[in-house]
Amino acid sequence: MRFLRSLCVLCVLCGSSFSALALDREAFTITKYDLEVRLEPEQQRLGARGKITLRNDSAQPQKVVALQISASLDWRAIRAADKPLQFVSQPFVSDIDHTGALSEAIVTLPAEIKPKDSVELEIGYEGVIQLDGTRLMRVGVPEEIARHTSWDQIGRSFTAVRGAGYVAWYPITTESADFSEGNSLFEVVDRWKAREAGSEMNLKACSEPRPDRRDTVLVGEEGVGWGSSHGAVPKEFCAERRYAPLGLAAPTLVVATYQTVVNPPLSLFSFEGHEAAAAKYSAALEPVTNFVTEWFGKPTAPIAIADLADPHAAPFESGTLLLVSMAGEDTKLAGINLVHELVHSAVASPRPWVYEGLAHFAEAVYREQQGGREAALDLLGLHRSAFLDSEKEVAAASQKNVGPPLTTGQPLITTFDETYYRSKAAYVWWMLRDMVGDDALKQAIRNYRAADDTDPKYVERLLEAAAKRDLAWFFDDWVYQDRGLPDFRVQSAHLWKDDHETSEQTGNTEKPGKDVRMLTVTLENLGAVSAEVPFTVRCEASDITQRLQVRAKSTATTRVELPCIPLEIVVNDGSVPESDVTNNFYKIASQ
Ligand SMILES: [Zn+2]
């Protein structure tokens, strides 16, 4: 991207036409939205009006802005200081919207906006939002799967429309995103989210009342219902939600005939016929709240879990609203989903890897309480493939690198890539817990304050204070930098049977018992990332597990006292994500 832009500048300098200088679609960030949206489920229509504030984040003054909304919506009015502005509306191909295209308004501003200056515009747009899997089917996703993935629509029986990255139902300013072009779509979406994370949105969503239905309109976790029994039919009924800042939330609108159970901080919205699943959530609320309170503090911020009409629809989370089908009656899933949302209710954070990472980590700890460490590691294992491939690329690049550490990859501290701030972050919190123990980690989390998290090293310092241990090496490799993943193997193992020799080697004054053997184990880390890893020496009847810190591209040696004859060594129980797990077994030659 940067390369292409510098190429463009070069063209201009070489004297080619100035018209070749393309419109900078990402020059402006929308720092504030004040929107009123009216939904008409019977017509599948949406009409919106309000104000947006645009800030010029480019280095050049800008006279033109490209405002984009979904291709199924049309611009009606764009004004500044009560005067209509000239604009040209054109289709713009981009996979950032479910239709695979945007309606772009090229707006001429009343005056040139200097870098860092802002301008406020009044806007109005309307149109329909129907089920549309175009962008997925265009790259070969079967229609059936596309429908369960790209489920956004304003529908007669069910309305659910997700924000940026799904449906551009509020204006955005982005370069074209392409699904078929490697990671281009995710790069554009992540860049957009990063630019908007500090923005503010004040949203009022209204729906027309329907005499035969008891609808609820949901904006984020805020729901307002209306039913014919409520008396005179109003013109509309509305829910309001303020996002300040927007953070990672893709603001989402829902209109549905829900049954509502409010049990603060949880509001539960489910369809008729899904009472059994809703009951699982209600039953899990108290034990899960106790678990979350013990680890993360008391959940107080409102959260909502709402039903999806399509039982096969992929679940979706927008901040403190979780949309998930309640057609099934999976008790385990209800507990896990509640854990995740209640952690959000308890811990606010401006940092994605803290906010989402802790919630996914909590799911694993909860799973461990129910089914043991292996069950927890299985749950974490589902996250591993999400970031494994991209980490392998990073590792390959840093392996070849001989100069100072590369600045490529996705450091957790700054990433807006979901696979990192959710999946990799969950592992990082789990590794920290294994290293410092439950008590120190709980103490650090309780001392965490979102408002104080302004220094990148804030979390490291909280943990170091609680654990009384230096963790800079770990944070450097796992949080502040992305150098790929470690890769462990057992380099050698040596069994000492001679009592005398053993006691000299260990410096013990007491000689070990007759049946005690000592095993010297050397672990090697072939990767560029340091970690503390567990390894297990397996005997016929028992196992012995120890932990060892192995620095990047180094070896570390330790001794294990054994009351049995060792058969094999397994390094890493799955708690440390590594690039290659095929070399983790080591057979000990029988002696
Ligand atoms: Zn979450």
Side-chain angles (χ1 to χ4, degrees), residues 372-444:
R373 183 174 170 94
E374 214 165 305
L377 294 180
D378 284 347
L379 182 70
L380 276 179
L382 301 175
H383 284 283
R384 192 169 160 267
S385 60
F387 59 92
L388 193 61
D389 286 344
S390 44
E391 286 291 39
K392 275 184 184 165
E393 282 170 32
V394 173
S398 64
Q399 206 73 268
K400 281 184 217 141
N401 181 46
V402 283
L406 293 172
T407 51
T408 53
Q410 296 273 2
L412 275 191
I413 194 80
T414 50
T415 188
F416 273 82
D417 182 325
E418 255 189 305
T419 58
Y420 282 79
Y421 69 69
R422 288 182 189 272
S423 300
K424 187 178 177 183
Y427 271 106
V428 165
W429 286 107
W430 185 276
M431 287 188 284
L432 282 167
R433 177 206 182 200
D434 274 350
M435 286 160 61
V436 305
D438 287 12
D439 291 341
L441 183 55
K442 282 178 192 170
Q443 193 190 322

Side-chain angles (χ1 to χ4, degrees), residues 121 151 209 461 564:
L121 302 182
W151 41 253
R461 287 200 198 104
C564 53

Side-chain angles (χ1 to χ4, degrees), residues 507-523:
N508 284 347
T509 46
E510 262 177 67
K511 288 191 175 189
K514 211 167 59 184
D515 293 331
V516 174
R517 293 162 176 82
M518 298 299 282
L519 187 71
T520 307
V521 179
T522 299
L523 299 183

Side-chain angles (χ1 to χ4, degrees), residues 317 319 340-341 344 355-356 359-360 422:
E317 190 190 32
H340 188 107
E341 298 313 311
H344 287 333
Y355 186 72
E356 287 300 343
H360 286 282
R422 288 182 189 272

Side-chain angles (χ1 to χ4, degrees), residues 460-498:
E460 180 198 323
R461 287 200 198 104
L462 282 181
L463 270 157
E464 284 177 335
K468 299 182 178 57
R469 180 176 166 179
D470 169 37
L471 296 167
W473 63 273
F474 180 86
F475 274 80
D476 270 340
D477 278 5
W478 289 93
V479 181
Y480 309 142
Q481 309 284 339
D482 180 15
R483 300 191 177 110
L485 296 172
D487 176 17
F488 304 104
R489 65 183 276 264
V490 180
Q491 194 189 58
S492 66
H494 187 66
L495 191 63
W496 301 83
K497 283 192 292 189
D498 185 321

Side-chain angles (χ1 to χ4, degrees), residues 17 114 142 151 165 168 183 192 205 221 227 237 258 316 333 352 371 426 531 591:
S17 157
K114 291 197 199 83
W151 41 253
N183 277 325
W192 170 251
E221 73 293 323
F237 62 108
Y258 278 143
F316 174 74
L333 202 63
Q591 314 211 359

